[in-house]
Amino acid sequence: MQYHYVCSDCGTEYELKPNLMLCPDCARSQDRDQPLSGILEVALEGEVGQGFAIHDLLPVEKEYFPSIPVGASPLWGPEKLRTEFEFPNLYVKDDTGNLTGSFKDRASILVSAFARKYGFMDIALASTGNAASSMAGVGAAAGQRVTVFLPKSVPRAKIVQALQYGSRVHKVEGSYDLAYEFSLEYSRRNGGLNRNTAYNPLTIEGKKTVSLELFRQLPKTPDSIFVPAGDGCILSGVYKGFKDLLALGLIQTMPTVYAVQAEKSSAIARAFQSGSFERIPAETLADSIAVDVPKSGLHALKQLKKYQGRVLTVSDREIIEAQARLSAGSGLFAEPAAAAAFAGFLKARAGLDREAQIVLLITGSGLKDIDSALEGVSVPEKTISSVEEITG
Ligand SMILES: *Cc1c(COP(=O)(O)O)cnc(C)c1O
């Protein structure tokens, strides 16, 4: 298989080079309040059969990948929810079991392999929390030095993970968007590889593996996939995987992708209606999808329009209720951003075909943000001194 980059805005092709991040022409006039222009997509040329290995479709050779459990995540049918909602072909794609507990490991492992191939020892990035803990963990496995920039509101478990993995952690006086700027400046000054979402083309490319796996795991191309969206990079990755499969002639149809955003962090949903992006400070307890200006916004929007995707917004209340309902209905405890995918399904289900093959992308573990999860349950205040007190 041959790989090169294609600019998602102007179509210019580039060789896959270690320090090329965005299309230099399109990125030149980047406005701070707008999503990234000139995102590079990896294009592949060649042929594979139905029995391809996932590594056959990745632009870094297998030997450079640290050997850790990332991807190949389980797809399973939550029986009780299937019965309760009468959707017999409802599935969860459960990415909570990746090395660091989130979907982000799919991007981190490809970036790590790329860094190893090209001799980078240092990787820096900004993150709402999961990308940082993910890159820190994967970097630890691969023996790479990782520097992370986090918003000051980062959930404790995620910063603890990043610290446990031995990365250098900086909290910025502001939001994720500020952390993003700082990490870019840091990489410019310090060298090394930057793993910022959407900026580094391998982040979208790494995330595509989920679609390749779904192709393998399901009897046919899924009808609908619910994807939580902040920066829109997972969304772009999900599309990328299916676009590769279409280009290789392995599937004939694109699934309907539902982008689910938090009501108060809904830049992609707003732009889907209005056609333009504006900076409005994000405010949601689903920290992993709290983004003012979505970095992959333009790119994700293009895919949604081209392939008739849908967008939905859900309130924090709906997210917290969906989280508890998913936990109690399936045994899968998801963090709020991931539970947003289920909240989106709950909202859209009246309009869905009951026989359809529907996938909920569950992107992160609930244990990553206990404080938010506490809002959906009530902890007993009283202790008991005997069992009689509760059995009467
Ligand atoms: C990062 C993340 C998302 C959102 O991904 P984007 O690429 O920012 O849209 C959703 N859920 C979880 C758990 C995440 O960590």
Side-chain angles (χ1 to χ4, degrees), residues 111-350:
V111 170
S112 170
F114 185 86
R116 195 179 259 177
K117 177 169 175 175
Y118 290 100
F120 291 100
M121 280 304 297
D122 284 281
I123 302 172
L125 73 153
S127 165
T128 60
N130 278 340
S133 47
S134 168
M135 193 69 248
V138 172
Q144 292 155 334
R145 274 190 303 270
V146 177
T147 305
V148 307
F149 295 83
L150 294 162
K152 64 177 178 191
S153 58
V154 59
R156 268 151 43 98
K158 297 180 184 180
I159 198 167
V160 169
Q161 271 187 299
L163 291 164
Q164 276 283 332
Y165 294 137
S167 66
R168 294 176 215 175
V169 173
H170 304 286
K171 279 207 276 184
V172 307
E173 187 57 44
S175 68
Y176 167 58
D177 294 61
L178 186 68
Y180 202 91
E181 284 178 28
F182 280 11
S183 79
L184 290 178
E185 187 182 340
Y186 175 85
S187 292
R188 267 195 301 275
R189 290 179 182 222
N190 200 57
L193 188 64
N194 189 287
R195 181 224 178 270
N196 273 10
T197 274
Y199 173 75
N200 185 322
L202 298 176
T203 53
I204 292 177
E205 187 66 5
K207 290 171 183 177
K208 81 176 184 183
T209 54
V210 72
S211 305
L212 305 179
E213 290 171 19
L214 287 172
F215 167 75
R216 279 297 178 58
Q217 290 168 312
L218 286 165
K220 65 179 191 72
T221 314
D223 297 295
S224 306
I225 307 180
F226 286 81
V227 180
D231 272 323
C233 190
I234 296 182
L235 205 61
S236 295
V238 167
Y239 273 120
K240 175 59 167 53
F242 287 111
K243 284 199 294 187
D244 281 359
L245 293 167
L246 281 169
L248 292 164
L250 296 173
I251 59 169
Q252 271 66 51
T253 54
M254 181 62 87
T256 303
V257 176
Y258 287 77
V260 187
Q261 293 212 282
E263 240 165 37
K264 292 195 172 157
S265 176
S266 62
I268 295 174
R270 294 194 309 266
F272 191 79
Q273 304 301 336
S274 70
S276 62
F277 286 89
E278 76 225 288
R279 179 187 290 278
I280 298 181
E283 230 189 88
T284 170
L285 57 64
D287 66 290
S288 296
I289 49 173
V291 172
D292 302 349
V293 180
K295 306 305 170 285
S296 192
L298 288 171
H299 188 266
L301 191 62
K302 260 190 223 168
Q303 319 297 310
L304 287 164
K305 293 279 180 191
K306 179 165 179 193
Y307 298 107
Q308 286 96 48
R310 310 277 174 81
V311 294
L312 287 168
T313 59
V314 289
S315 68
D316 278 8
R317 181 87 331 255
E318 287 172 311
I319 290 173
I320 287 303
E321 280 170 16
Q323 181 184 38
R325 206 160 172 188
L326 180 64
S327 301
S330 72
L332 179 52
F333 179 25
E335 68 165 269
F342 182 50
F345 164 77
L346 293 177
K347 210 161 199 176
R349 72 182 197 274

Side-chain angles (χ1 to χ4, degrees), residues 367-383:
L367 292 172
K368 281 172 165 282
D369 184 5
I370 294 298
D371 291 334
S372 296
L374 267 174
E375 304 207 4
V377 294
S378 45
V379 179
E381 276 172 24
K382 278 195 351 199
T383 52

